[in-house]
Amino acid sequence: MSEHSPLDLAEGDPFGPHNLPYGVFTTADEPARRRIGVRIGGHVLDAGAAAHALGSPHADLLGRPSLNPLLAAGRAVWQEVRRELTAWVTDPAHRAAVEPLLHPLGTVELHLPYEVADYVDFYASEHHATNVGRIFRPDGDALTPNWKHLPIGYHGRAGTIVVSGTDVVRPTGQRKAPADPAPVFGPSVKLDIEAEVGFLVGTPSELGRPVPLSSYRDHVFGLTLLNDWSARDVQAWEYVPLGPFLGKSFQTSVSAWVTPLEALDAARTAPPARDLPLLPYLDDAEEEPGGYDVRISVEINGEAVAEPPFSTMYWTAAQQLAHMTVNGASLRTGDLYGSGTVSGPETGQRGSLLELTWNGRDAIELADGKRTFLEDGDEVVLTAWAPGPDGTRVGLGEVRGRIAPAAG
Amino acid sequence: MSEHSPLDLAEGDPFGPHNLPYGVFTTADEPARRRIGVRIGGHVLDAGAAAHALGSPHADLLGRPSLNPLLAAGRAVWQEVRRELTAWVTDPAHRAAVEPLLHPLGTVELHLPYEVADYVDFYASEHHATNVGRIFRPDGDALTPNWKHLPIGYHGRAGTIVVSGTDVVRPTGQRKAPADPAPVFGPSVKLDIEAEVGFLVGTPSELGRPVPLSSYRDHVFGLTLLNDWSARDVQAWEYVPLGPFLGKSFQTSVSAWVTPLEALDAARTAPPARDLPLLPYLDDAEEEPGGYDVRISVEINGEAVAEPPFSTMYWTAAQQLAHMTVNGASLRTGDLYGSGTVSGPETGQRGSLLELTWNGRDAIELADGKRTFLEDGDEVVLTAWAPGPDGTRVGLGEVRGRIAPAAG
């Protein structure tokens, strides 16, 4: 045992025992053996090995190569496992058993930790939806008439969700500016980001049975950061009348870490006041606060370009879940839904380049030149944190992606 | 062995040895053991048991509880397995081994035979898109400007795809007629069908690598009938700007049978002439004919209400596959894509009640009363056939669903 234990964390470490996000990792000497890991400080605890060594009744669930069996086990098990993990990383009696099972973050490879079932993306920021409406439909109302009555959303492509660190090959497709006589084909010239928070479903539901607002915590396991890469030129040409398709489906990147809802209790916050009365299935006036005070940071090539505040979202994750199932649609373990781009009221709080540059009109200045949309070689990193108990911060990991040139 | 063998089929049986669609079944005495079955006449051949009895090298693939491993095995294996199956049901030398492995259709339960990965629905009938445009956007052009340049499509909910025979619980949701001051909530009053053909992907593709038109047969395993149930009132209120969501996601029904592409070679037909030049990745002038002469029949409560001709579809399945991947999006085994509603030029060829009744304006007459949209208790059955070799017909099975009242 080393003199300085990896479990002796600096005060205020955002990955302290109050956080304990889940991921899946491999080591260099066993690159084919995927294991569930729990992040503590700068290390990853081999959760299955710890559960085995310490005689946990959940050693089987934690010994799997994916989070899905744990997700499917339901809230009572999530709570038990979290209590055990907390004891393993805090109780000095367990140190001798736990320390050999800690891997420095820099020595492991992180993988997409769950198999995605269905992926839905919402559009829940009033500031974002207003900005997009003004840009794309300058002659109409910025918000469509339905926007404040229901959380607008659509299904995305589950099969192209990748883990942070995966390159983004610039997509190719059709685009047509209004003045062009015909569409042209080629690499997107308006490649963009969308800074979002994703919600991962654990407990499934039955076909034909809506999930009410009050059951949100029984179904949703945790949060993850998400970047919904978007080709704005492809999207603008294709999206009427059936919505975004190829402008989004080439890739969506998520954090390697999933933060359990329980780690975010101190971050709950009331959503903004609603302007219009809500139908009963969406009325959350009597529910616990549905927002989260998650502070996102967007960096391009190491420079901060925006700080979108998740607390400003009009629609909450519980409302999105209730809406998504109100028609009887069932949930599966591994369903993932994104909040939609997070944008606050200030210019520096916008979660997309579309908004930050007003569709390319106002370039932003980076140390290596101006940007309207992303250039090949650019690296985008989303990070985030939320208030934890007793003045701590809960780190939400990062979503990193570098733009690779279009396929030849 | 019986005097009259189940393999001695009536001449012209649409499920003869020229067809051999795949499904998954269970028997009453082993309700938990799902098995791959191949339909021959009025019987289901236990394909895994036959492969085992006859020493097939593919006994493992055919012995699984789902088609997915066979789908993933690729085109060369699909061809080998089909050759074997054809021999087993036609060669008198195999009769003694095969006959005991045939189950009468009425004695088995059929299941969804594959796990759906991503589900995409297209909008490929010019007649359908024109009708819908006229109904929903009477003041604008019927077709959006992009319609003849690319196959419009969107992602649907894979988790609510069910096998033929599953009841459809009437969905509940928001709707708002233009004159209403606010949305109302309740069971859909415009529950509809969409008669479609679905295409099931077997061979996956790599992220970042588009699949060209010429590779269609390497990736797509077969066809299946599909009913994309739609709540028109929910859809009309929600679909601007991000497309259909809850108006579709409550349920999609598919046939229990998947017909391999090879059984449909005689049904290939040239698509309609295109009005506008196509970008090279969609230009199929030099490819084999991309359409299929599939004749669909729509029945409600046993009465024929429409006969949509699939041969009239503007966009082909190969074009849809090329478009879906041109941005680099990858395919997974089990991806399913629907053609979009099949509607021909004649009134009696329309594949939705929206079109058949012009959004409820012109009721259709059934023996048990008028219909604008579906009523509780109505049963919808889609069937279809296509020309096979030597004047035969290839049956495409059926998609059956009865409307159950909204959940209380």
Side-chain angles (χ1 to χ4, degrees), chain A residues 179-240:
Chain A
D180 292 342
V184 297
F185 182 79
S188 170
V189 296
K190 289 191 174 180
L191 183 54
D192 197 1
I193 60 167
E194 293 201 331
E196 304 193 16
V197 174
F199 296 85
L200 182 62
V201 171
T203 310
S205 71
E206 273 180 56
L207 193 65
R209 300 271 180 176
V211 174
L213 287 173
S214 58
S215 295
Y216 163 71
R217 283 172 173 269
D218 293 327
H219 291 276
V220 173
F221 175 81
L223 266 68
T224 192
L225 271 183
L226 186 153
N227 187 347
D228 180 33
W229 306 97
S230 299
R232 299 298 180 190
D233 40 3
V234 173
Q235 183 184 351
W237 170 231
E238 76 179 354
Y239 89 105
V240 176

Side-chain angles (χ1 to χ4, degrees), chain A residues 8-9 30 49 53 56 67-68 75 87 137 182 191 195 215 257 267 293 330 337-338 340 356 369 405:
Chain A
D8 292 329
L9 302 178
E30 290 185 278
S56 164
L67 292 179
N68 284 55
R75 189 176 175 197
R137 295 177 292 276
L191 183 54
S215 295
W257 300 106
D293 183 13
S330 46
Y337 60 102
L356 288 165

Side-chain angles (χ1 to χ4, degrees), chain A residues 117-120 155 201 205 207 321 324-325 327-332 335-336, chain B residues 116-120 154-162 245-246 248-252:
Chain A
D118 271 302
Y119 168 50
V120 166
H155 284 89
V201 171
S205 71
L207 193 65
L321 193 75
M324 189 165 29
T325 60
N327 66 347
S330 46
L331 301 172
R332 290 183 294 169
D335 280 352
L336 178 70
Chain B
V116 183
D118 271 301
Y119 169 49
V120 166
Y154 67 101
H155 284 88
R157 192 164 186 84
T160 53
I161 292 177
V162 301
F245 184 32
L246 296 183
K248 303 280 194 170
S249 66
F250 55 97
Q251 195 153 314
T252 304

Side-chain angles (χ1 to χ4, degrees), chain A residues 407, chain B residues 206 208-212 322 325-329:
Chain B
E206 272 180 56
R209 301 268 180 180
V211 175
T325 60
V326 75
N327 66 347

Side-chain angles (χ1 to χ4, degrees), chain B residues 27 84 86 118 131 136 176 201 204 213 280 292 299 338 346:
Chain B
T27 57
E84 290 189 299
T86 304
D118 271 301
N131 289 334
F136 282 139
K176 180 184 167 303
V201 171
L213 287 173
Y292 291 94
E299 286 185 5
E346 310 295 331

Side-chain angles (χ1 to χ4, degrees), chain B residues 320-372:
Chain B
Q320 291 166 339
L321 193 75
H323 185 63
M324 188 163 34
T325 60
V326 75
N327 66 347
S330 46
L331 302 172
R332 290 182 294 168
T333 297
D335 280 352
L336 178 70
Y337 61 102
S339 60
T341 309
V342 182
S343 291
E346 310 295 331
T347 306
Q349 295 180 327
R350 295 171 177 169
S352 70
L353 288 168
L354 175 71
E355 295 164 88
L356 287 164
T357 73
W358 213 255
N359 199 19
R361 188 191 67 187
D362 309 322
I364 56 173
E365 301 275 356
L366 297 183
D368 64 349
K370 292 187 176 185
R371 287 293 183 289
T372 51

